[in-house]
Amino acid sequence: MNVRLTGKTAVVTGASRGIGAAIAQRLAAEGADLVITYAGNDAASTRTVAAIEAIGRRARAIKADAADGAAVRAAIEQASDFLGGIDILVHNAGITEMEVAPAASEDSYRRQFGINVDGVFIGTTAAIPLMRDNGRILIVGSVNAHTMPFTGGAIYGATKAAVAGLARGWARDLGPRNILVNVIQPGPIDTDLNPADERDAAIAMTKLTVLGRYGRVDEIAALAAFLASEEASYITGAAIDIDGGFSI
Ligand code: NDP
């Protein structure tokens, strides 16, 4: 295991379970202290904090709904106080609701944009003044930003395209401070949100990959740790697919 983040601090949103929990634990294993946020699963957030502390890093969990601007701003401020400033911000919190047009409701549109986009915008805006130069902002987007091989994903795909657009603009804005901004775009990854089980959708997604399988959360975490490290010093404004060939 590389140890590339010694002395760094990181905030990972939506990190009680799934991809976010794996990213948080990997960043900690590489030397970073962590604040994680979550929506409501106290038990899962406690488990992730315990796993990070077991690695020997400091960690705190803050309950903060990504769609609640005041909660997001407060979480970023509390995180910075706890960590003594922020080097790495990972926006991972996200939901998906598959609804085929025209049945897809305005409520679903607002829910998905509220968590997947508003949370990213408000959290980044709050964090930038608290971030040290040479920092990293990573957004967990999706290959559905640019590929949609099934019905019902219009809103979700639009949220992930929106954050890729934000990332490109922020990469320009923050380049003078050497804060690098990139998007990780996973294909199907085995989590509670998208389990690799016997559902028709899961079987169909598996078949669309070149590798014939779902991805694992540790595979996403490895990319996040690389992008957070000095090794990725010339990558900014990129949206990187990590999808086992799902989208080719
Ligand atoms: P999970 O549903 O497994 O985990 C979601 C995590 O986000 C949990 O920690 C959850 O907290 C938290 N969360 C959910 N809603 C909110 C909210 N409103 N505010 C704050 N935190 C919240 O999801 P995944 O790990 O699968 O997905 C993580 C990200 O990866 C998402 O952005 C998703 O769109 C993206 N992605 C996932 C893919 C997949 O196939 N799994 C593919 C492509 C992209 P709590 O435990 O408290 O509920």
Side-chain angles (χ1 to χ4, degrees):
M1 169 75 72
N2 296 313
V3 180
R4 299 173 288 195
L5 303 175
T6 304
K8 301 292 186 188
T9 64
V11 179
V12 185
T13 71
S16 46
R17 296 179 286 119
I19 292 170
I23 291 174
Q25 289 175 58
R26 175 69 190 247
L27 299 183
E30 297 227 18
D33 289 335
L34 260 300
V35 164
I36 65 165
T37 73
Y38 67 105
N41 192 329
D42 296 325
S45 71
T46 302
R47 274 197 298 277
T48 303
V49 166
I52 293 167
E53 289 175 341
I55 296 167
R57 305 313 321 164
R58 296 173 68 230
R60 174 176 291 179
I62 299 173
K63 188 171 175 173
D65 180 351
D68 178 343
V72 169
R73 279 187 285 271
I76 292 291
E77 281 166 22
Q78 288 165 28
S80 182
D81 286 349
F82 174 74
L83 296 167
I86 299 168
D87 296 299
I88 301 158
L89 171 62
V90 183
H91 289 291
N92 167 78
I95 59 164
T96 181
E97 297 178 8
M98 290 290 150
E99 291 179 349
V100 179
S105 66
E106 284 184 35
D107 281 351
S108 178
Y109 179 89
R110 290 188 208 300
R111 260 194 310 277
Q112 293 187 73
F113 268 82
I115 294 170
N116 297 5
V117 185
D118 295 11
V120 172
F121 175 74
I122 293 168
T124 301
T125 304
I128 289 169
L130 305 172
M131 288 186 71
R132 282 185 277 271
D133 290 357
N134 307 313
R136 299 286 190 270
I137 298 173
L138 305 178
I139 303 171
V140 180
S142 166
V143 289
N144 293 142
H146 61 76
T147 187
M148 185 54 68
F150 34 74
T151 57
I155 299 168
Y156 179 71
T159 68
K160 297 304 188 178
V163 294
L166 286 172
R168 281 188 289 273
W170 286 331
R172 286 271 177 208
D173 295 349
L174 301 175
R177 293 182 53 196
N178 205 41
I179 294 176
L180 312 184
V181 188
N182 292 295
V183 185
I184 293 169
Q185 299 191 148
I189 307 299
D190 185 16
T191 65
D192 296 342
L193 179 140
N194 184 12
D197 56 18
E198 297 308 313
R199 290 170 302 138
D200 289 347
I203 292 164
M205 280 188 258
T206 302
K207 282 189 183 147
L208 282 168
T209 67
V210 169
L211 300 181
R213 66 171 177 85
Y214 267 49
R216 302 185 310 269
V217 294
D218 63 285
E219 293 174 316
I220 306 300
L223 177 59
F226 166 69
L227 289 171
S229 78
E230 194 52 33
E231 289 187 278
S233 54
Y234 202 54
I235 304 177
T236 195
I240 300 174
D241 293 346
I242 172 166
D243 67 349
F246 178 86
S247 60
I248 64 173

